[in-house]
Amino acid sequence: MRYSAAFLPTLRETPKEATTVSHALLLRAGYIRMVGAGLYEFLPLGVRVLQRIATIIREEMDRAGAQEVLMPAVLPSEYFKETGRWDKFGPTLFRLHDRKHGEYHLAPTHEEIITDMVRREIKSYRQLPINLYQIQMKYRDEPRPRAGLLRCREFLMKDAYSFDVSPEAARKSYDAMEAAYHRVFGRLGLQYRLVAADSGAMGGSGSAEFQVLAQSGEDAIAACTACDYAANVEVATAAEAAAASTPSGELPAPVRVHTPGAKTIEQLVAFFGDRVEGVGADRFLKSVVYLAGDEQVLAVVRGDHEVNEIKLARAVGADEVHWVAEPEHAGFLGPVGWKDKVVVDAAAAAVADGITGANEEDHHLQHVRHGRDFEGTVADIRLVAKGDPCPRCGGALELYRGIEAGHIFMLGTHYTDAMKAEFLDAEGTSRPIVMGCYGIGVSRLVAAVVEQLHDDDGLVWPSEVAPYAVIVTPLGGDEPTAVAEDLYAKLRERGLTVMLDDRDERPGVKLKDAELLGIPLSVRVGKRGLKDGNIEIKARRSGETSFVPLAGAVDAIADLVAKS
RNA sequence: CGGGGCGUAGCGCAGUCUGGUAGCGCGUUCGGUUCGGGACCGAAAGGUCGGAGGUUCGAAUCCUCUCGCCCCGACCA
């Protein structure tokens, strides 16, 4: 590509709506433009990157035995109604009508459609297993699109669906996809963790996320520093801590203590610090009020812990719980004498001599213990914290932020039961097909790669996804221009993707743009080098510069591209 | 949906409080000088001041409504 003819509008300054690195750089380097909240145009370079990532995914899906299909993005409502998701998706679903007033929606995901496709064609166990995937735009009217390509309302997704005769067979399909995903993320050069996750509204029996580690990520991940345990904090657990700070001797009866204005754990630790030797946040029983449906629940965790609402919901058998912002006596709440349901975190239940709110303004109770002074269901309802012992090996957990770039689910017969997708087994019995589904956010991956790999000068593409392998920059003068033209032609003959910066710009401008674009190899042709018969090659990522003789330049460059 | 911020030229911003000829930098166009790290001189083009209504002799500026974007939260495969 000749830069002079490219539709490649770069920006010197960052548009103010961009506050995330990937968003800012992709805008500045002319890869994407915004059309509306969560709606983006991919300009030529953006498309090239998107397609290269899609190609990697395609290759790995095909290698794993999946077959590519393409389903419509505009769907009649009947399929989602069949599984109840027409209502369940709520406002996230983009709904529309056709000219005959028929009800439609834009596809947020395709479990129903593919299940319908499969149930129409698959009748026998002889036709299974099968794994079908597509790469296509998905539509979700997100409550809050954010950070450019990281959370869009229209985004490119690879979604695969496996169909098997049994849970055991489905497990094999799931494992094959997991392996394929590892290859994809490995080829993209990403730092990522495979983490246990909440299967959420997808339904099904288990799931794991491929989380690309990045500060701008929306998800919090707990990962062991010693073994490979990793989980979304939504579901992460810690090994049972040893019963904390058990004092010797008999526990005295609870004492009511006047604690004026001391509402937070921090204030309480300061308040009791003078009175109780060695008191820390882990001696307090923090009580938080939640609503589970109509029922009020008091969640009790240790002062140094936080409530995990997903775990709490599970513990009380609710779909979700809602935090009650301003209950009576906020700051002085406690489980002793509490009339509604109480759920106590296991770590809080192990506190032998605790301090908690007295349910009375400006008062707390000292010397409180679960089982003696109050009752309540004991369950794991807390968020894991940095340094907690790993549930698998006891090593220390570390917290990371991550971008969910892939998610694999064992769906079981959730959809095939609802939609009666059945096959005849060898005995002639009709049985539901066992499903799995596997997603990769392709456009999100573009942003994820940038989040992980960039520098102050701009984008830095790994060679596997770079829009061009090489950019050739003549630095002014007739001879360098002629040499650059010649190199451009010869490198292209070699089958390399090459950009030639043939613009009538000053060297500084061209070199800055080459860096902003993130093309892995920059070939500079200038009088200075040609004087000694050399051209200069600079690696974008390492910054390493080498001079090579013009005579062998094409081979040298092709070599470097092949090795990268 | 709750809280906060912002809409003025392609991009970044000033001007709004205190109403009175719509500005600056970058970019763009033309001419010239330059040419290995975002050059310099000169000239020029480019704006329904997000939109609608109102107040006023007069509105980017004041009032009302509305739309959009960003951030935090809620929410969310």
Side-chain angles (χ1 to χ4, degrees), chain A residues 385-450:
Chain A
K386 177 183 161 74
D388 276 347
C390 169
R392 199 172 292 166
C393 76
L397 292 179
E398 181 61 71
L399 297 180
Y400 299 95
R401 295 204 63 81
I403 297 164
E404 181 191 342
H407 203 155
I408 53 180
F409 295 89
M410 285 191 280
L411 294 175
T413 55
H414 187 83
Y415 293 94
T416 49
D417 279 337
M419 298 183 69
K420 295 202 172 23
E422 298 176 336
F423 68 99
L424 285 179
D425 66 14
E427 280 76 46
T429 319
S430 205
R431 288 164 50 189
I433 303 175
V434 184
M435 265 179 92
C437 73
Y438 318 92
I440 293 181
V442 184
S443 48
R444 177 179 279 183
L445 267 178
V446 175
V449 169
V450 176

Side-chain angles (χ1 to χ4, degrees), chain A residues 56 182-192 212 449 452-453 462 464-465 541:
Chain A
I56 291 172
H182 278 298
R183 282 196 295 271
V184 168
F185 286 87
R187 285 179 64 180
L188 292 172
L190 291 165
Q191 282 185 273
Y192 68 96
V212 175
V449 169
Q452 237 177 41
L453 201 55
E464 283 258 20
V465 303
R541 190 167 182 177

